[in-house]
Amino acid sequence: MEPIRETMKRVVNAPAFSERYNEMRREVLEHPGVQKFLEENAAEVDKNVVDKGLGKLYEYIYQSHDCNKCPGLGDCINTLKGFEPNLVLERGNIGIAYTPCRLKNQYDNKRRASSLIHSMYMPKEVMQATLADFEPDASRMEAFRAVTEFLDKATGPDNLPEKGLYFYGKFGVGKSYLLSAVANELAEMNVKSVLVFVPEFMREMKQAIGDQTLQEKVDYVKRADVLMLDDIGAEAMSSWTRDEVLGTILHYRMAERLPTFMTSNFSYSELQHHLTYSQRGEKEDLKAARVMERIKALTEPIKLDGKNRRN
């Protein structure tokens, strides 16, 4: 039987193998990424180093770079999904280091941003809102400008404008959508937001008395970096939820100068009228005025109008 060493020598020296090897070597050395690497490391890389590292160079060129061969993160063709190869020198030899690719960074950033937004009873489709998809027509331009001014002033969790916005108008004009879009923009700045659908929240607060979680839930909401109260005025407000829940939250945020956003179908004056009458029909002007004073201290009113975009 022919010794294995002699067999390998005969195969390697065969014309067909030599031709394929030279073709592969030429293809590798013509790759722009390889050429750049060799230029940057010309003082340390000679022909012997290249020949020893040809396998690594070949592995490098047939993978995706800057996601140019991948339609999406889930269809990544690289050895490590979501990571792109970079040529490196390791103790005088050519090696490959893998770093997160552009698509993986985008995915990770999106997941991180999502973790900074806590939604309480808000619809999932609303939570995916973006300012890029908000149509600032004439009836909504004032709201769009107010939002961009707020975001321009916000540079991070430690530098936020003290005053938020109060969006009001008829059903379906984009008030809730705009809240979520702002929350997503703030998340890109590492700012945490809590979005609360007020009618459902108030119903849960009544139940929280029984399971002794009321204070914990109120404290969580009132201390949010940015609080967004959606659809205030749509709930059947009792004296207790108005004064002990909503009033407590607003008083804390006013004292701590924490930005607060709200949406409502009511203007300021209409909301005050709504807050004046309890479920029992009792008229409580002073208590309603006290809550409204806090709302006015925390927000600037902006009307949204236009067509109903839910239809």
Side-chain angles (χ1 to χ4, degrees):
M1 178 179 289
E2 183 180 28
I4 187 65
R5 184 181 300 175
E6 294 301 319
T7 302
M8 290 299 297
K9 186 184 298 183
R10 182 166 49 81
V11 171
V12 168
N13 290 330
F17 179 88
S18 178
E19 184 178 333
R20 286 197 302 272
Y21 176 84
N22 289 331
E23 178 61 30
M24 183 190 77
R25 191 174 191 279
R26 182 165 52 253
E27 182 182 6
V28 165
L29 295 180
E30 288 176 354
H31 189 276
V34 172
Q35 291 181 350
K36 182 180 178 183
F37 170 76
L38 295 178
E39 288 172 6
E40 292 174 347
N41 297 276
E44 301 173 72
V45 177
D46 56 19
K47 182 178 181 300
N48 289 334
V49 173
V50 170
D51 288 340
K52 283 174 61 179
L54 202 59
K56 290 292 183 182
L57 294 173
Y58 189 80
E59 177 185 343
Y60 168 80
I61 71 168
Y62 274 94
Q63 296 191 71
S64 178
H65 303 275
D66 194 30
C67 307
N68 62 344
K69 298 179 183 177
C70 301
L73 185 59
D75 298 313
C76 180
I77 67 169
N78 287 356
T79 304
L80 295 175
K81 282 188 178 295
F83 291 81
E84 60 183 353
N86 299 280
L87 293 171
V88 294
L89 273 179
E90 299 171 329
R91 298 178 182 177
N93 294 314
I94 295 172
I96 294 179
Y98 286 89
T99 57
C101 70
R102 172 172 52 83
L103 293 177
K104 186 173 192 312
N105 282 329
Q106 290 174 357
Y107 174 77
D108 289 344
N109 288 338
K110 190 172 182 179
R111 287 192 62 186
R112 176 191 56 77
S114 296
S115 71
L116 293 173
I117 304 173
H118 185 191
S119 165
M120 301 176 74
Y121 327 110
M122 296 286 285
K124 286 185 179 179
E125 61 270 19
V126 172
M127 295 307 300
Q128 297 170 355
T130 65
L131 275 186
D133 291 330
F134 183 82
E135 298 175 17
D137 55 28
S139 60
R140 308 199 299 173
M141 182 58 75
E142 184 184 3
F144 184 77
R145 284 182 183 143
V147 161
T148 54
E149 285 176 11
F150 180 93
L151 294 172
D152 286 343
K153 294 175 183 176
T155 58
D158 298 323
N159 187 20
L160 295 168
E162 295 176 8
K163 209 163 190 178
L165 301 168
Y166 179 94
F167 300 123
Y168 69 97
K170 59 189 180 183
F171 295 103
V173 293
K175 302 184 298 295
S176 301
Y177 186 98
L178 195 51
L179 277 194
S180 179
V182 173
N184 285 318
E185 290 289 333
L186 289 171
E188 296 294 330
M189 306 177 197
N190 279 328
V191 177
K192 295 180 181 179
S193 299
V194 174
L195 283 79
V196 179
F197 182 60
V198 174
E200 191 61 39
F201 176 71
M202 291 305 180
R203 279 193 286 273
E204 183 170 320
M205 291 306 96
K206 295 173 184 176
Q207 298 172 2
I209 298 173
D211 60 24
Q212 299 181 334
T213 60
L214 174 65
Q215 194 59 50
E216 175 187 345
K217 290 173 179 175
V218 170
D219 285 348
Y220 178 79
V221 170
K222 77 182 186 182
R223 292 192 172 109
D225 290 347
V226 177
L227 177 62
M228 300 184 173
L229 299 174
D230 186 45
D231 218 1
I232 188 168
E235 72 292 334
M237 187 76 71
S238 68
S239 297
W240 178 77
T241 53
R242 179 194 61 202
D243 302 331
E244 302 303 322
V245 179
L246 182 61
T248 297
I249 291 169
L250 298 179
H251 178 75
Y252 179 89
R253 298 190 67 78
M254 183 176 69
E256 296 297 319
R257 298 181 178 180
L258 296 172
T260 307
F261 288 72
M262 302 180 196
T263 73
S264 180
N265 295 128
F266 296 143
S267 64
Y268 274 173
S269 59
E270 291 168 336
L271 181 61
Q272 182 160 345
H273 178 78
H274 170 76
L275 296 173
T276 297
Y277 293 91
S278 69
Q279 284 178 311
R280 297 178 181 178
E282 299 165 330
K283 188 178 182 183
E284 299 174 323
D285 294 287
L286 184 60
K287 291 182 178 179
R290 186 178 296 121
V291 172
M292 283 307 305
E293 180 185 357
R294 293 164 184 166
I295 290 175
K296 291 175 181 178
L298 287 166
T299 63
E300 290 286 347
I302 306 287
K303 185 176 182 179
L304 271 78
D305 209 342
K307 64 182 180 180
N308 188 331
R309 295 167 189 268
R310 293 177 186 168
N311 297 333

